[in-house]
Amino acid sequence: MVARWGIDDDMNFEDVFAKYQKLIYNLSRRIMGNDEDAQDITQEVAIKVYRNLHKCKGEDFVAAWISKITHNTCMDALRKRKGKFTSSLDDTVGFDDGEVQVQIEDEAIGPEALLLQKELNAQIETALLKLSTEYRTIVILRDVNGYSYEEIAEITGLPEGTVKSRLFRGRSKLKNILLREQNQSDLR
Amino acid sequence: MKNWDEVLSLYIDDVLDEKQKADVEKELAASAVVRVKYENLLIVTQTLNTLSEVDLPEGLADRILWNTTAKHTQKAKSRKAQWITRIASYGTVAAAALLFGFYFGINRDDSGLYTPEADEYSSIEMTASLDISEDAEFGGFEPIGVRLFSDENFEYVTDAEIQAEARTLVAPVTANVQMTALSNEITFFVNDIQEAINFFALTFDGFQIVSQRGDAFATVEVPAEDNGTLLIHLMKIE
């Protein structure tokens, strides 16, 4: 469980921040989609960690605890700007709930198509940003950060079933975005 | 009909029971379509798994640490030292006046604040020793070495090592201070933030942070009316 945090008395904020600053920055950077927001979020998370470090009870949970704070801080920031900004990229992908628009035939090009793509890492980072936040966050927590379903449920406050469904949908969408871009690239 | 994306996602995460896994593997062997789906999905998850972490932009971690810890400790220190600062500040201002007075007053703008010229300190090198009177409530500054020069960006930098001995109530405090003067501000850079905060909390009443550049924490303004003292603003964050 992630709900009960723990931290040794001899661990101080500076040590914790030194160890987890990259986790905070990279998670927020991927959720928010840009460096500037990630810097602000990292600062905000640092203050929250600093103020609440005494609540921690176990070193094993610090990463998940910090991820939860980071996730919540990102969600708060995104909520605040809701209405001011919507992702046009999401719109262009245009998924209906659970239904991918890329047809099965597209996958017939085979896995080698994805394998042959240069700079797949960069492409997948870009493709991640085309997912809506709800899918992106779960995919990042699972596939980039390696958290279990249970941990992701704790971090996000979602039921495990929702985590599972968002994960497979997010992965499918991501795969299809890459395939679609591959197809477009082949057409050029 | 099975949603193969869902099943394959669970299969990749190894959370299916043995029978479900056997069903998937049977389908993978039989169906090229499912196999392609699986392989593409696997590539995506494996690629995500290997995404590298980027480093924080240079200076960000230090800035965050400073912003985070200083804001909190500073308040506590200020409260503790409040009554001491009232006693000490007069002597310290006098000491600072002696320290800075020998090169301030050279060039003042209409607002009354000192503004260095680009070439003003480019070749000046000087040292001074000040011995504050035993009568001062706050201790002495000695010795003081000051080297002034400008870089290409016309930022005026002085290096100084100031040993400040708090003779009232507290153990001696040593602060290694680098001073950067830009425009009409003298900004202090210190090697030990906490020590500097302690030092200035004990020294000045109501100090102000005007820069969040890592270890910068104070400015000094020089009024036009030089009547032998300097107006020193050490300002609080926020």
Side-chain angles (χ1 to χ4, degrees), chain A residues 13-14 21-22 26 30 39 43 46 50-51 104 107 111 114 120-121 142-143 149 167-168 171-172 175, chain B residues 5-6 9 13 36-37 39-40 45 47-49 52-55 57 61 64-65 67-69 72:
Chain A
F13 170 74
E14 285 78 7
Q21 61 186 23
K22 280 177 81 171
N26 281 271
R30 289 193 168 108
Q39 291 182 30
Q43 171 67 81
Y50 181 81
R51 287 176 178 162
I104 192 73
E107 290 206 59
L114 285 179
L120 186 55
N121 282 16
R142 173 64 194 154
D143 289 332
Y149 293 167
L167 181 62
F168 94 76
R171 283 170 170 171
S172 292
K175 178 188 68 176
Chain B
D5 275 326
E6 180 172 14
S9 180
D13 286 337
V36 167
K37 269 179 172 289
E39 287 170 354
N40 278 339
T45 56
T47 306
L48 286 165
N49 195 243
S52 56
E53 286 193 323
V54 300
D55 289 326
I64 287 173
L65 267 180
N67 288 343
T68 304
T69 56
H72 296 79

Side-chain angles (χ1 to χ4, degrees), chain A residues 1-187:
Chain A
M1 293 288 289
V2 188
R4 291 178 178 276
W5 321 115
I7 195 162
D8 294 341
D9 288 341
D10 59 352
M11 278 193 79
N12 59 39
F13 170 74
E14 285 78 7
D15 293 335
V16 171
F17 185 70
K19 189 171 179 182
Y20 295 104
Q21 61 186 23
K22 280 177 81 171
L23 167 69
I24 300 167
Y25 183 70
N26 281 271
L27 182 56
S28 55
R29 183 171 165 268
R30 289 193 168 108
I31 292 176
M32 301 302 289
N34 67 79
D35 292 335
E36 195 178 328
D37 284 339
Q39 291 182 30
D40 293 341
I41 296 288
T42 306
Q43 171 67 81
E44 206 171 323
V45 170
I47 290 171
K48 288 175 182 174
V49 170
Y50 181 81
R51 287 176 178 162
N52 295 289
L53 200 53
H54 62 282
K55 294 178 182 174
C56 295
K57 290 177 184 173
E59 203 174 324
D60 291 345
F61 302 115
V62 175
W65 177 62
I66 286 176
S67 294
K68 181 177 182 138
I69 293 173
T70 305
H71 168 268
N72 291 343
T73 306
C74 288
M75 293 304 114
D76 286 345
L78 290 168
R79 267 193 293 273
K80 279 176 192 169
R81 72 176 58 163
K82 198 175 178 181
K84 296 177 185 172
F85 172 79
T86 54
S87 171
S88 59
L89 293 172
D90 264 345
D91 297 339
T92 60
V93 173
F95 293 114
D96 297 326
D97 190 36
E99 189 66 38
V100 292
Q101 291 189 340
V102 176
Q103 299 302 306
I104 192 73
E105 295 84 53
D106 292 334
E107 290 206 59
I109 63 174
E112 66 280 4
L114 285 179
L115 283 171
L116 289 173
Q117 286 196 7
K118 292 177 182 175
E119 300 174 349
L120 186 55
N121 282 16
Q123 288 179 355
I124 212 159
E125 290 269 20
T126 306
L128 268 174
L129 298 177
K130 297 181 180 180
L131 291 181
S132 62
T133 309
E134 61 185 8
Y135 293 123
R136 182 164 72 244
T137 303
I138 304 297
V139 170
I140 290 167
L141 289 169
R142 173 64 194 154
D143 289 332
V144 179
N145 293 89
Y147 287 116
S148 67
Y149 293 167
E150 185 186 11
E151 286 172 321
I152 295 170
E154 284 285 340
I155 289 168
T156 59
L158 294 168
E160 233 179 276
T162 306
V163 170
K164 284 180 188 172
S165 64
R166 286 192 185 176
L167 181 62
F168 94 76
R169 286 175 183 169
R171 283 170 170 171
S172 292
K173 291 170 192 295
L174 198 56
K175 178 188 68 176
N176 289 322
I177 290 167
L178 291 167
L179 285 167
R180 195 172 77 152
E181 288 177 353
Q182 175 66 48
N183 287 344
Q184 287 173 348
S185 172
D186 289 347
L187 289 173

